[in-house]
């Protein structure tokens, strides 16, 4: 059973979805924008049943995680918060799975703390200066002006409008409205406190964190699998994927055709099969 647990880390409250026996091999899953840890619920449920201890944290600004020091909204500082969490839990030999901005966070983690990790799986993620995409860049600009909060409060980001926009990014399996509400909408566009923390996160988004990490990333020795949905209009293979392939020497590529950005939903069975084979 997937459970939500909370941990105090540097006076912040880290929300984590967990499933499986804590004595089993550890897999940590990192989501991106505009999702939450809920993106991984079905994945971690399936993999935990096969003998893994799976954890999916809400990264800063999302879900139920509460950040009390704004410096932890940026990717580099939040990576430090996660390392402290791993240390508290005495984790070693971690497999790291990252998607979207969570994949950029994963790159920072493995480049700066390689000894904690056995391997990484990166899927349809940001790297270097491949981000932010246009819609996110607009939200960042609005947040820095303090306008995102008011746009959200006055209904600019309605559930119906965002659902229709996001649905266009799927090729095989259309997302249901209930899953959209649970994974993506979940208060960050329509609930006062969650809008405010999402705005703080948006203000901190800066591709300098991933750009500065590229040299260190090129020196890592652990194996990295690049599992990519090939119909991704946000982080296309011929931009982000090829950059990672050329940067990370010990990498293998697994392409999923007719699949958009959110491959955990769009091609769930194929994606899960690749994870199972690579982790065994």
């Amino acid at each position: 059973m997937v459970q939500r647990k909370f941990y105090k880390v540097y006076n912040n409250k880290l929300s984590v979805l967990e499933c499986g026996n804590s004595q089993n091999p550890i897999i940590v899953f990192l989501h991106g924008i505009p999702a939450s840890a809920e993106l991984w619920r079905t994945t971690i449920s399936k993999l935990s049943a096969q003998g893994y201890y799976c954890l999916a944290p809400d990264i800063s600004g999302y879900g139920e995680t509460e950040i009390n020091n704004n410096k932890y909204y940026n990717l580099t500082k939040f990576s430090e918060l996660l390392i402290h969490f791993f240390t508290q839990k005495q984790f070693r030999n971690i497999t790291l799975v990252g998607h979207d901005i969570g994949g950029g966070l994963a790159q920072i983690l493995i480049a700066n703390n390689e000894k904690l990790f056995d391997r990484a799986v990166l899927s349809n993620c940001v790297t270097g200066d491949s981000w932010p995409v246009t819609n996110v860049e607009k939200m960042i600009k609005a947040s820095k002006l303090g306008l995102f909060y008011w746009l959200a409060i006055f209904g600019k980001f309605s559930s119906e409008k965002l659902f229709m926009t996001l649905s266009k990014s799927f090729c095989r399996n259309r997302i249901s409205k209930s899953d959209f509400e649970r994974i993506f909408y979940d208060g960050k566009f329509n609930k006062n406190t969650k809008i405010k923390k999402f705005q703080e996160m948006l203000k901190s988004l800066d591709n300098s964190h991933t750009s500065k990490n590229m040299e260190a990333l090129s020196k890592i020795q652990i194996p990295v699998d690049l599992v990519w949905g090939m119909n991704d209009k946000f982080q296309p293979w011929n931009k982000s994927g090829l950059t990672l392939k050329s940067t990370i020497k010990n990498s293998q590529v697994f392409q999923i055709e007719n699949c958009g950005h959110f491959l955990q939903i769009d091609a769930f069975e194929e994606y899960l099969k690749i994870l199972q084979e690579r982790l065994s």
Side-chain angles (χ1 to χ4, degrees):
M1 176 185 294
V2 178
Q3 295 180 307
R4 183 178 297 278
K5 297 185 179 181
F6 297 93
Y7 299 91
K8 185 176 181 180
V9 188
Y10 288 149
N11 201 36
N12 304 286
K13 186 170 77 172
L14 183 66
S15 168
V16 184
L17 293 183
E18 298 186 23
C19 198
N21 187 323
S22 61
Q23 301 304 309
N24 289 341
I26 302 161
I27 314 176
V28 175
F29 297 80
L30 301 174
H31 69 85
I33 189 171
S36 68
E38 289 289 338
L39 178 68
W40 299 109
R41 179 178 285 272
T42 306
T43 305
I44 67 177
S45 178
K46 293 287 187 180
L47 287 175
S48 66
Q50 297 180 14
Y52 296 98
Y53 177 38
C54 299
L55 303 96
D58 285 320
I59 69 175
S60 55
Y62 302 82
E64 303 304 318
T65 287
E66 295 181 7
I67 299 298
N68 294 313
N69 185 329
N70 285 359
K71 71 179 182 180
Y72 290 111
Y73 280 109
N74 80 54
L75 290 182
T76 300
K77 295 304 292 185
F78 188 70
S79 75
E80 294 174 9
L81 187 148
L82 282 180
I83 291 299
H84 189 65
F85 168 62
F86 297 156
T87 302
Q88 285 181 190
K89 296 280 284 182
Q90 298 184 317
F91 284 171
R92 291 290 186 274
N93 308 116
I94 303 165
T95 293
L96 197 57
V97 181
H99 176 257
D100 193 85
I101 287 174
L105 176 60
Q107 292 162 48
I108 294 170
L109 285 164
I110 61 177
N112 294 329
N113 304 271
E114 185 175 0
K115 66 181 182 295
L116 286 179
F117 303 99
D118 271 358
R119 71 184 308 114
V121 180
L122 302 177
S123 298
N124 295 74
C125 62
V126 307
T127 192
D129 63 357
S130 75
W131 64 290
V133 298
T134 301
N135 287 343
V136 175
E137 189 170 23
K138 289 178 180 178
M139 291 194 293
I140 290 171
K141 290 179 178 178
S143 296
K144 289 182 176 179
L145 294 171
L147 296 176
F148 177 84
Y149 173 81
W150 295 108
L151 290 170
I153 286 293
F154 288 110
K156 174 68 174 178
F157 308 107
S158 71
S159 175
E160 288 299 327
K161 182 177 179 180
L162 292 181
F163 175 65
M164 291 299 294
T165 300
L166 191 75
S167 293
K168 295 175 183 177
S169 65
F170 292 86
C171 300
R172 302 185 189 182
N173 299 321
R174 298 294 178 181
I175 187 170
S176 69
K177 186 65 185 302
S178 60
D179 281 346
F180 166 78
E181 295 279 353
R182 175 177 58 86
I183 297 168
F184 297 100
Y185 205 64
D186 78 333
K188 66 173 68 75
F189 297 105
N190 66 336
K191 293 183 180 178
N192 183 63
T193 302
K194 289 193 173 184
I195 296 170
K196 286 180 178 178
K197 73 178 184 181
F198 193 59
Q199 178 171 260
E200 286 300 321
M201 181 280 302
L202 287 167
K203 286 163 60 176
S204 75
L205 284 183
D206 182 349
N207 65 30
S208 67
H209 298 278
T210 47
S211 296
K212 292 175 182 176
N213 188 59
M214 298 306 284
E215 182 178 355
L217 189 65
S218 70
K219 298 175 182 178
I220 65 167
Q221 300 298 312
I222 64 170
V224 177
D225 295 323
L226 305 176
V227 185
W228 225 266
M230 296 302 289
N231 288 63
D232 186 353
K233 64 180 181 179
F234 303 117
Q235 296 297 325
W237 172 254
N238 61 10
K239 184 177 181 181
S240 310
L242 286 179
T243 297
L244 285 168
K245 181 183 177 184
S246 64
T247 301
I248 302 171
K249 308 311 177 190
N250 192 14
S251 63
Q252 292 195 52
V253 176
F254 301 85
Q255 298 178 345
I256 302 179
E257 301 296 335
N258 190 34
C259 175
H261 183 69
F262 297 101
L263 68 179
Q264 309 90 333
I265 300 169
D266 208 0
F268 173 72
E269 295 296 339
E270 190 169 348
Y271 181 61
L272 181 65
K273 182 179 179 181
I274 293 171
L275 290 180
Q276 291 168 332
E277 291 174 351
R278 299 307 295 165
L279 296 174
S280 63

Short mmCIF file of all heavy atoms in Angstrom, two decimals, residues 9-13 60-61 65-75 77-78 80-81 197 200-201 204:
data_model
loop_
_atom_site.label_atom_id
_atom_site.label_comp_id
_atom_site.label_asym_id
_atom_site.label_seq_id
_atom_site.Cartn_x
_atom_site.Cartn_y
_atom_site.Cartn_z
N VAL A 9 13.12 18.10 7.76
CA VAL A 9 14.46 18.19 7.19
C VAL A 9 14.85 19.66 7.14
O VAL A 9 14.24 20.44 6.42
CB VAL A 9 14.52 17.59 5.77
CG1 VAL A 9 15.98 17.53 5.29
CG2 VAL A 9 13.87 16.21 5.71
N TYR A 10 15.88 20.03 7.93
CA TYR A 10 16.30 21.45 7.99
C TYR A 10 15.11 22.37 8.28
O TYR A 10 14.94 23.41 7.65
CB TYR A 10 16.95 21.87 6.68
CG TYR A 10 18.31 21.31 6.41
CD1 TYR A 10 18.73 21.08 5.11
CD2 TYR A 10 19.21 21.02 7.44
CE1 TYR A 10 19.99 20.57 4.83
CE2 TYR A 10 20.47 20.50 7.17
CZ TYR A 10 20.86 20.28 5.87
OH TYR A 10 22.10 19.78 5.60
N ASN A 11 14.25 21.98 9.21
CA ASN A 11 13.08 22.77 9.60
C ASN A 11 12.05 22.93 8.49
O ASN A 11 11.19 23.79 8.54
CB ASN A 11 13.49 24.16 10.11
CG ASN A 11 12.40 24.79 10.97
OD1 ASN A 11 11.71 24.11 11.73
ND2 ASN A 11 12.22 26.10 10.86
N ASN A 12 12.13 22.08 7.46
CA ASN A 12 11.10 22.00 6.42
C ASN A 12 10.38 20.67 6.57
O ASN A 12 10.91 19.73 7.17
CB ASN A 12 11.75 22.09 5.04
CG ASN A 12 12.58 23.34 4.87
OD1 ASN A 12 12.06 24.44 4.72
ND2 ASN A 12 13.90 23.19 4.91
N LYS A 13 9.17 20.59 6.04
CA LYS A 13 8.40 19.34 6.10
C LYS A 13 8.36 18.72 4.72
O LYS A 13 7.74 19.25 3.79
CB LYS A 13 6.98 19.60 6.61
CG LYS A 13 6.19 18.30 6.83
CD LYS A 13 4.88 18.56 7.56
CE LYS A 13 3.83 19.13 6.64
NZ LYS A 13 2.50 19.20 7.27
N SER A 60 10.09 20.80 -3.72
CA SER A 60 9.70 22.07 -3.10
C SER A 60 8.77 22.87 -4.01
O SER A 60 9.03 23.04 -5.20
CB SER A 60 10.94 22.91 -2.77
OG SER A 60 11.74 23.09 -3.92
N GLY A 61 7.66 23.33 -3.43
CA GLY A 61 6.66 24.09 -4.18
C GLY A 61 5.48 23.26 -4.64
O GLY A 61 4.52 23.82 -5.17
N THR A 65 4.63 19.00 0.49
CA THR A 65 5.88 19.48 1.08
C THR A 65 5.75 20.95 1.48
O THR A 65 5.17 21.75 0.73
CB THR A 65 7.06 19.30 0.09
OG1 THR A 65 7.37 17.90 0.02
CG2 THR A 65 8.30 20.06 0.52
N GLU A 66 6.27 21.29 2.65
CA GLU A 66 6.21 22.68 3.15
C GLU A 66 7.62 23.19 3.38
O GLU A 66 8.38 22.63 4.18
CB GLU A 66 5.39 22.74 4.43
CG GLU A 66 3.92 22.38 4.23
CD GLU A 66 3.11 22.47 5.51
OE1 GLU A 66 3.66 22.95 6.54
OE2 GLU A 66 1.94 22.06 5.50
N ILE A 67 7.98 24.25 2.66
CA ILE A 67 9.30 24.85 2.75
C ILE A 67 9.23 26.10 3.61
O ILE A 67 8.46 27.02 3.33
CB ILE A 67 9.83 25.20 1.34
CG1 ILE A 67 9.96 23.94 0.49
CG2 ILE A 67 11.16 25.94 1.42
CD1 ILE A 67 10.94 22.90 1.01
N ASN A 68 10.02 26.13 4.69
CA ASN A 68 10.00 27.26 5.61
C ASN A 68 11.19 28.20 5.42
O ASN A 68 11.25 29.25 6.06
CB ASN A 68 9.98 26.75 7.05
CG ASN A 68 8.68 26.02 7.37
OD1 ASN A 68 7.60 26.51 7.06
ND2 ASN A 68 8.79 24.84 7.95
N ASN A 69 12.11 27.84 4.55
CA ASN A 69 13.22 28.71 4.20
C ASN A 69 13.27 28.77 2.67
O ASN A 69 13.55 27.77 2.01
CB ASN A 69 14.54 28.17 4.75
CG ASN A 69 15.71 29.12 4.51
OD1 ASN A 69 15.74 29.85 3.53
ND2 ASN A 69 16.68 29.09 5.41
N ASN A 70 12.98 29.94 2.11
CA ASN A 70 12.79 30.05 0.67
C ASN A 70 14.00 29.64 -0.17
O ASN A 70 13.85 29.36 -1.36
CB ASN A 70 12.38 31.48 0.30
CG ASN A 70 10.93 31.77 0.65
OD1 ASN A 70 10.22 30.90 1.15
ND2 ASN A 70 10.48 32.98 0.40
N LYS A 71 15.18 29.59 0.42
CA LYS A 71 16.35 29.19 -0.37
C LYS A 71 16.22 27.76 -0.88
O LYS A 71 16.83 27.40 -1.89
CB LYS A 71 17.63 29.35 0.44
CG LYS A 71 17.83 28.35 1.56
CD LYS A 71 19.14 28.59 2.29
CE LYS A 71 19.40 27.56 3.39
NZ LYS A 71 20.69 27.80 4.09
N TYR A 72 15.40 26.94 -0.21
CA TYR A 72 15.26 25.54 -0.61
C TYR A 72 14.29 25.34 -1.77
O TYR A 72 14.00 24.21 -2.16
CB TYR A 72 14.85 24.68 0.57
CG TYR A 72 15.96 24.53 1.58
CD1 TYR A 72 15.87 25.12 2.84
CD2 TYR A 72 17.13 23.84 1.27
CE1 TYR A 72 16.90 25.02 3.76
CE2 TYR A 72 18.16 23.73 2.17
CZ TYR A 72 18.04 24.32 3.42
OH TYR A 72 19.07 24.21 4.33
N TYR A 73 13.81 26.44 -2.35
CA TYR A 73 13.00 26.31 -3.56
C TYR A 73 13.85 26.12 -4.80
O TYR A 73 13.36 25.60 -5.81
CB TYR A 73 12.09 27.54 -3.74
CG TYR A 73 10.85 27.51 -2.88
CD1 TYR A 73 10.71 28.38 -1.80
CD2 TYR A 73 9.82 26.61 -3.14
CE1 TYR A 73 9.57 28.36 -1.01
CE2 TYR A 73 8.68 26.58 -2.35
CZ TYR A 73 8.55 27.45 -1.29
OH TYR A 73 7.43 27.43 -0.51
N ASN A 74 15.11 26.55 -4.80
CA ASN A 74 15.90 26.35 -6.01
C ASN A 74 16.46 24.93 -6.07
O ASN A 74 16.57 24.24 -5.05
CB ASN A 74 16.97 27.44 -6.18
CG ASN A 74 18.21 27.22 -5.34
OD1 ASN A 74 18.85 26.17 -5.39
ND2 ASN A 74 18.57 28.24 -4.56
N LEU A 75 16.80 24.49 -7.27
CA LEU A 75 17.16 23.08 -7.47
C LEU A 75 18.40 22.66 -6.69
O LEU A 75 18.43 21.57 -6.11
CB LEU A 75 17.38 22.81 -8.96
CG LEU A 75 16.15 22.84 -9.87
CD1 LEU A 75 16.55 22.50 -11.30
CD2 LEU A 75 15.06 21.89 -9.38
N LYS A 77 19.75 23.95 -3.88
CA LYS A 77 19.52 23.89 -2.43
C LYS A 77 18.55 22.77 -2.07
O LYS A 77 18.72 22.12 -1.03
CB LYS A 77 19.00 25.23 -1.91
CG LYS A 77 19.98 26.39 -2.04
CD LYS A 77 21.31 26.11 -1.37
CE LYS A 77 21.24 26.04 0.14
NZ LYS A 77 22.57 25.88 0.77
N PHE A 78 17.56 22.52 -2.93
CA PHE A 78 16.65 21.41 -2.62
C PHE A 78 17.38 20.08 -2.75
O PHE A 78 17.09 19.13 -2.01
CB PHE A 78 15.42 21.43 -3.52
CG PHE A 78 14.38 20.41 -3.11
CD1 PHE A 78 13.67 20.57 -1.93
CD2 PHE A 78 14.15 19.28 -3.88
CE1 PHE A 78 12.73 19.62 -1.53
CE2 PHE A 78 13.21 18.33 -3.50
CZ PHE A 78 12.50 18.51 -2.32
N GLU A 80 20.37 19.61 -1.80
CA GLU A 80 21.05 19.48 -0.50
C GLU A 80 20.08 19.01 0.57
O GLU A 80 20.44 18.22 1.45
CB GLU A 80 21.66 20.83 -0.12
CG GLU A 80 22.80 21.27 -1.04
CD GLU A 80 23.29 22.67 -0.74
OE1 GLU A 80 22.88 23.24 0.31
OE2 GLU A 80 24.08 23.21 -1.54
N LEU A 81 18.85 19.50 0.50
CA LEU A 81 17.83 19.06 1.46
C LEU A 81 17.56 17.56 1.29
O LEU A 81 17.46 16.81 2.27
CB LEU A 81 16.55 19.87 1.26
CG LEU A 81 15.41 19.68 2.27
CD1 LEU A 81 14.64 20.99 2.45
CD2 LEU A 81 14.45 18.59 1.82
N LYS A 197 2.93 28.94 -2.43
CA LYS A 197 4.19 28.19 -2.44
C LYS A 197 4.59 27.81 -3.86
O LYS A 197 5.79 27.75 -4.18
CB LYS A 197 4.12 26.97 -1.52
CG LYS A 197 3.28 25.81 -1.97
CD LYS A 197 3.38 24.67 -0.94
CE LYS A 197 2.64 23.43 -1.38
NZ LYS A 197 2.72 22.35 -0.37
N GLU A 200 6.35 30.82 -5.18
CA GLU A 200 7.72 30.92 -4.66
C GLU A 200 8.65 29.99 -5.42
O GLU A 200 9.81 30.34 -5.71
CB GLU A 200 7.74 30.60 -3.17
CG GLU A 200 7.17 31.69 -2.28
CD GLU A 200 7.92 33.00 -2.43
OE1 GLU A 200 9.16 32.98 -2.54
OE2 GLU A 200 7.26 34.05 -2.44
N MET A 201 8.17 28.80 -5.72
CA MET A 201 8.98 27.87 -6.49
C MET A 201 9.25 28.41 -7.89
O MET A 201 10.40 28.39 -8.38
CB MET A 201 8.27 26.51 -6.58
CG MET A 201 9.02 25.42 -7.34
SD MET A 201 8.91 25.52 -9.15
CE MET A 201 7.15 25.43 -9.40
N SER A 204 11.99 30.86 -8.28
CA SER A 204 13.34 30.34 -8.10
C SER A 204 13.84 29.52 -9.29
O SER A 204 15.01 29.15 -9.34
CB SER A 204 13.40 29.46 -6.84
OG SER A 204 12.79 28.21 -7.10
#
